Amino acid sequence: MEPGRRDEPHTPAPTLYPIGFAAGIACVLVGLIVSPRLIAPIGGAIAIVFGFLWVRDATRDYRGVPAPVDPETRREAGVGDAPAVPAHHGEAAMPEPEPGERFPRSTFLEASTLGVGVIIGGLVTVPVAVMALGPAFGKQGKHYVDLGPLDNFPEGEWRLATFFLDPGLGEVTRRTAYIRNNGTLDSEPSFTIISNRCAHLGCPVQPNGPVFDDQSKDVNTGGGERIKLIKMLPAGGFGCPCHGGQYDPEGNRTAGPPVRALDRYEYAIKNGHLILLKTFSVSHVDGTGKDATIHKYRLAGPGQHIDGWEQIFYPLQPPQ
Amino acid sequence: MAVAPRSRKSVRRQRLEAAVNYPLDWLEERSGLVGGIRYFLFRKVPGDVNWMQTLGSATLTAFIVQAITGVILAMYYKPEPQTAYQSIQHITNDVTLGWLVRGMHKWGASLFIILMFFHMARVFLFGAYKYPRELNWIVGVMLLATGMLEGFTGYLLPWDQTAYWATVVGINLNGTAPFLGPFLAQFLRGGAEIGPDTLSRFYSMHMLLIPGGLIGLIGLHLYLVVRLGVTSPPWSKDAAGMEPTTNGAGPATNGRTGLTRPAARGTLRRNGGDGL
């Protein structure tokens, strides 16, 4: 406000409600870390109250009686010093429509132009959109990988297996799984097959323990699938190099940012060969080895919650 | 239209000027482009503009460098898993000055993002986001988002270990978005697993889809800058919000009409174009 400068108050008047709203939001964010049960709801309440007051304040002029607006005035043509608009310029050339007169032909042309435009636009847009967005709804996590004879997996030992999900596409589809032969359960072979995709953001987890590169074995199961099995001893479980997520040997999260346990592979035994089937997600595992109880969920992406209240954010997954 | 004859000028000079002006006049008469460019380049700005206000132009320059070097790189780059890394090595080691153009594109990308943030800080600290320029701030935020999408999609293209795993993490970050995240991640990957389709998809987005949007948004951004005028620095003697003096012929054309606020709600004056 500077006197003599004909300054006027700002419209709308300065208000403190946005600051209160921002403080509430800040309180929610801090509360989510410090105390989600107490501080965060308080912050939410503050934000809601101030947000309401802010919106009410900001829309005050629109809710009440509208501010009077001076009617627009215009001099009559030919009166005063303004020259008359020539008949062939501007709107004067258009005859005034008779009261109640309609223009069915121009309305029809308008509608038909619009309609034809929509049809052409749709004909072009729909296939383009389907092609671009189609992969978003494609199947995920379905594989069939032959890992070779069961003899390569001695009971009670871990093997690091690398294989191609799609040998035709080559190196880019190379994946790693950590496999342990648990012996037999009800006279059926039991395996623990853990995916190396971190449950945080998908980096490759590494065994916390020795990997005996000199005790590796190449297995050729035909079809050009080169499978490598390396003996390893993940005594300390698994760890992720990217952001430090830690897991125990069963894949349970023990520390760091992951939201659940490591994913696992379903498997089958066919002609004495170990076959990897589709992947599934695991919230946690009780017990170890063949006696473990695996809390199994359908495959979810890294970082997506599958249990707890946060699972409400991921109700839908691409088909499997 | 033609050059006004002046006795001072020699005949040769007059002929030369006529020769230069003829194509310009020809173009101006048929398109108005010369006047348009003159209007764009020789706008009135406040007398106390600051060097900080060149950051927007600097960002635009960085974008133009990215566009030109990107087009040249695309002449040599091969977006296939088997060839992408080799083609980058070829550009860096074999192609004449390829190392330089690739370096300009790689480091210029960071420069572009950094300049956007500096420009944004300048606009914020000068209060240049306020009425009537809120929309231009919003367009600027969209430019920031699309610029960072360019960074995200371009990072995969070298197809080395850093690129691959950074993109794995980046896609999975998108995948943690509520509700649509899992589908968004599959859309970005072009399927369930990262693979050849991911690379070509990112390549297409990086050099066709997002730059198109970026160029359109830059056009809108500049249009609003021209329409609304340039702000004075906060320490300017001419306080924003001051009523412009009028002489009965409409608002004063002090080149800063965009700064004035409406007298009251409901009687919005048209801002921007001088004397409109």
Side-chain angles (χ1 to χ4, degrees):
Chain A
M1 292 291 148
E2 293 178 57
R5 290 205 123 151
R6 290 191 290 130
D7 218 344
E8 289 166 33
H10 291 245
T11 46
T15 168
L16 289 176
Y17 294 137
I19 295 174
F21 179 72
I25 295 292
C27 192
V28 169
L29 295 176
V30 173
L32 281 178
I33 300 165
V34 179
S35 153
R37 295 273 160 81
L38 182 66
I39 308 280
I42 291 176
I46 294 173
I48 287 169
V49 167
F50 277 100
F52 173 73
L53 290 172
W54 183 14
V55 168
R56 207 179 61 155
D57 186 62
T59 59
R60 190 177 48 205
D61 292 358
Y62 300 102
R63 283 181 291 109
V65 182
V69 179
D70 290 334
E72 200 173 301
T73 55
R74 195 170 290 164
R75 281 196 199 130
E76 268 184 65
V79 181
D81 49 7
V85 178
H88 60 282
H89 276 138
E91 292 181 28
M94 189 80 167
E96 280 294 312
E98 296 294 320
E101 189 184 353
R102 287 155 66 234
F103 299 94
R105 192 167 64 175
S106 71
T107 312
F108 167 75
L109 286 173
E110 252 177 52
S112 56
T113 309
L114 203 65
V116 170
V118 166
I119 290 169
I120 294 174
L123 283 176
V124 175
T125 309
V126 168
V128 169
V130 167
M131 184 175 172
L133 299 177
F137 307 97
K139 284 193 188 316
Q140 58 159 350
K142 205 176 171 195
H143 330 290
Y144 184 93
V145 182
D146 188 343
L147 287 182
L150 292 183
D151 312 341
N152 292 327
F153 301 95
E155 188 173 332
E157 288 189 15
W158 284 93
R159 287 290 181 274
L160 185 159
T162 62
F163 51 90
F164 293 135
L165 285 183
D166 186 345
L169 291 177
E171 195 65 33
V172 71
T173 65
R174 184 195 285 281
R175 296 289 180 273
T176 300
Y178 302 123
I179 303 175
R180 183 185 55 203
N181 185 346
N182 297 326
T184 52
L185 179 66
D186 303 333
S187 70
E188 292 279 328
S190 165
F191 282 90
T192 297
I193 306 180
I194 294 179
S195 161
N196 78 331
R197 189 179 74 161
C198 183
H200 175 221
L201 288 173
C203 281
V205 297
Q206 312 290 322
N208 292 336
V211 177
F212 304 99
D213 284 315
D214 52 335
Q215 297 185 44
S216 74
K217 184 169 189 179
D218 288 316
V219 182
N220 195 342
T221 54
E225 298 177 45
R226 288 172 297 147
I227 290 152
K228 204 178 184 74
L229 302 175
I230 308 173
K231 188 181 174 184
M232 64 166 199
L233 191 61
F238 304 95
C240 183
C242 286
H243 313 104
Q246 294 295 323
Y247 305 88
D248 71 10
E250 292 296 326
N252 283 313
R253 171 194 171 273
T254 53
V259 298
R260 54 172 206 253
L262 288 171
D263 293 343
R264 293 193 179 209
Y265 286 90
E266 287 180 1
Y267 63 91
I269 313 290
K270 211 167 182 180
N271 300 331
H273 282 217
L274 180 62
I275 312 286
L276 284 194
L277 300 174
K278 65 181 182 184
T279 355
F280 60 93
S281 290
V282 178
S283 65
H284 62 285
V285 179
D286 296 322
T288 56
K290 61 184 176 187
D291 304 319
T293 309
I294 300 160
H295 296 267
K296 179 178 174 179
Y297 293 81
R298 61 171 311 185
L299 182 65
Q304 296 166 12
H305 296 260
I306 51 176
D307 61 347
W309 68 270
E310 295 100 329
Q311 67 177 294
I312 61 170
F313 291 124
Y314 309 103
L316 293 172
Q317 288 287 343
Q320 196 166 10
Chain B
M1 165 167 170
V3 183
R6 271 191 222 156
S7 54
R8 289 267 181 85
K9 287 177 181 169
S10 67
V11 177
R12 239 180 101 195
R13 188 176 169 85
Q14 285 182 32
R15 279 195 189 137
L16 186 69
E17 286 188 2
V20 170
N21 279 337
Y22 181 78
L24 290 178
D25 285 339
W26 189 92
L27 192 65
E28 170 68 7
E29 193 178 354
R30 282 154 186 81
S31 67
L33 276 177
V34 178
I37 289 170
R38 193 190 295 271
Y39 174 77
F40 176 69
L41 289 179
F42 301 101
R43 307 188 307 278
K44 286 174 180 167
V45 295
D48 45 5
V49 284
N50 189 271
W51 273 103
M52 293 291 135
Q53 277 155 315
T54 60
L55 281 166
S57 309
T59 316
L60 179 63
T61 309
F63 173 74
I64 292 169
V65 169
Q66 290 306 99
I68 293 171
T69 53
V71 167
I72 308 301
L73 287 171
M75 294 176 180
Y76 293 91
Y77 178 69
K78 298 174 184 66
E80 288 276 327
Q82 282 82 16
T83 54
Y85 181 75
Q86 277 77 9
S87 70
I88 297 262
Q89 294 305 306
H90 175 64
I91 288 169
T92 313
N93 299 326
D94 304 337
V95 179
T96 311
L97 290 186
W99 59 272
L100 182 63
V101 175
R102 189 190 162 208
M104 287 163 75
H105 198 74
K106 179 188 167 160
W107 297 104
S110 299
L111 187 74
F112 177 51
I113 302 280
I114 291 168
L115 281 173
M116 274 201 283
F117 275 105
F118 278 147
H119 174 53
M120 196 179 188
R122 196 283 295 171
V123 169
F124 180 74
L125 295 174
F126 276 31
Y129 56 87
K130 293 177 186 173
Y131 177 88
R133 299 187 179 81
E134 302 98 318
L135 182 62
N136 219 11
W137 175 272
I138 292 167
V139 174
V141 171
M142 286 154 80
L143 276 167
L144 182 67
T146 40
M148 292 174 91
L149 269 176
E150 278 287 65
F152 176 57
T153 49
Y155 204 81
L156 177 68
L157 303 187
W159 201 244
D160 52 14
Q161 288 288 321
T162 320
Y164 181 88
W165 290 109
T167 303
V168 166
V169 167
I171 288 175
N172 286 329
L173 266 173
N174 282 287
T176 60
F179 307 113
L180 288 181
F183 300 94
L184 177 61
Q186 289 233 92
F187 166 73
L188 287 171
R189 271 192 301 259
E193 303 283 345
I194 191 164
D197 284 354
T198 318
L199 183 56
S200 50
R201 193 164 265 256
F202 271 47
Y203 183 60
S204 165
M205 285 195 274
H206 182 74
M207 63 172 290
L208 297 171
L209 180 67
I210 305 173
L214 208 50
I215 289 167
L217 285 170
I218 288 174
L220 186 57
H221 204 64
L222 287 181
Y223 165 74
L224 288 173
V225 167
V226 172
R227 181 182 166 85
L228 301 174
V230 175
T231 39
S232 297
W235 54 81
S236 173
K237 293 276 189 294
D238 301 318
M242 199 176 67
E243 290 291 328
T245 52
T246 54
N247 53 12
T253 56
N254 60 357
R256 301 180 56 233
T257 37
L259 275 173
T260 56
R261 59 173 164 66
R265 193 168 267 151
T267 56
L268 275 173
R269 180 171 42 244
R270 290 176 67 180
N271 290 286
D274 286 354
L276 273 177

